[in-house]
Amino acid sequence: MAAPEFVDVAGRRTRVRLSGDPAGRPVVLLHGIGRSLEDWDPQFELLRSSNRLIALDLPGFGYSQRRPEPSSLPSFAAGVLETLDALGESRPVHLIGNSLGGAVSLGVLGAAPDRVASVVLVNSGGFGREVTYLLRMLAVPGLGKQMLRRPTRASARLIERALYHDRCTRPRSASTTR
């Protein structure tokens, strides 16, 4: 599997993983809140044979630097479009977004419909008023930035488990599934 690399996007370091056929359909994989491009690792082997795969750490997540303005869906969408420009990808892309990545995908579609071939939403955020308390805490000035500083495996697992209201649908940790 191709290793992640850093590209300069409007003067910011943005981490991307590129794989597959450069002439293939461009497929952009966008992760959820507090996550990173590693969320898409299992799909790389499945999708790379006939596609150009582009996964990125959204601005301010994983190892990508934040954009100068406050974080928002339009800011994240602009970051995705700027990343595509930096990679020289001008063809309409197929966006696949999980959670926050789904909401960002819709933001990209709204901002630049001519640059989007299709959108796949995977358990997408951005619908309805009911949002888990963890996501609401991220909007508190200063607190959200601190919570998303540098996620560890343990903190990512904790956040992931806390996002599920019904305990029987929560993902199990590796130690409890053996």
Side-chain angles (χ1 to χ4, degrees):
M1 180 182 329
E5 60 187 84
F6 288 94
V7 294
D8 180 270
V9 176
R12 295 179 329 278
R13 280 174 34 116
T14 298
R15 190 171 74 130
V16 299
R17 176 177 287 147
L18 307 171
S19 187
D21 179 3
R25 294 174 300 204
V27 175
V28 178
L29 304 166
L30 301 175
H31 62 79
I33 197 162
R35 304 301 294 219
S36 68
L37 59 79
E38 278 79 18
D39 280 359
W40 297 105
D41 283 354
Q43 282 70 40
F44 266 76
E45 290 303 314
L46 298 171
L47 297 174
R48 72 184 184 116
S49 64
S50 60
N51 300 295
R52 178 186 189 200
L53 294 181
I54 303 167
L56 64 129
D57 285 346
L58 290 169
F61 292 93
Y63 294 96
S64 289
Q65 291 179 311
R66 296 173 62 95
R67 290 176 47 88
E69 71 271 10
S71 294
S72 65
L73 288 177
S75 173
F76 295 141
V80 170
L81 292 167
E82 289 173 344
T83 301
L84 293 173
D85 291 342
L87 296 172
E89 186 55 74
S90 58
R91 299 173 292 172
V93 299
H94 299 273
L95 295 168
I96 302 177
N98 170 246
S99 191
L100 171 66
V104 173
S105 296
L106 294 175
V108 172
L109 176 63
D114 56 316
R115 297 198 59 187
V116 177
S118 67
V119 175
V120 176
L121 303 177
V122 182
N123 198 21
S124 180
F127 299 103
R129 295 184 317 181
E130 292 186 17
V131 176
T132 178
Y133 74 92
L134 280 175
L135 294 180
R136 289 192 305 258
M137 286 174 56
L138 292 172
V140 175
L143 182 60
K145 186 176 181 179
Q146 194 68 13
M147 288 173 65
L148 297 175
R149 256 203 136 134
R150 286 285 176 247
T152 64
R153 282 192 192 274
S155 68
R157 206 169 20 251
L158 177 66
I159 290 170
E160 187 174 72
R161 290 177 56 81
L163 292 175
Y164 291 84
H165 173 72
D166 185 345
R167 289 184 185 273
C168 70
T169 61
R170 290 180 181 173
R172 298 174 191 253
S173 68
S175 63
T176 61
T177 58
R178 292 184 186 164

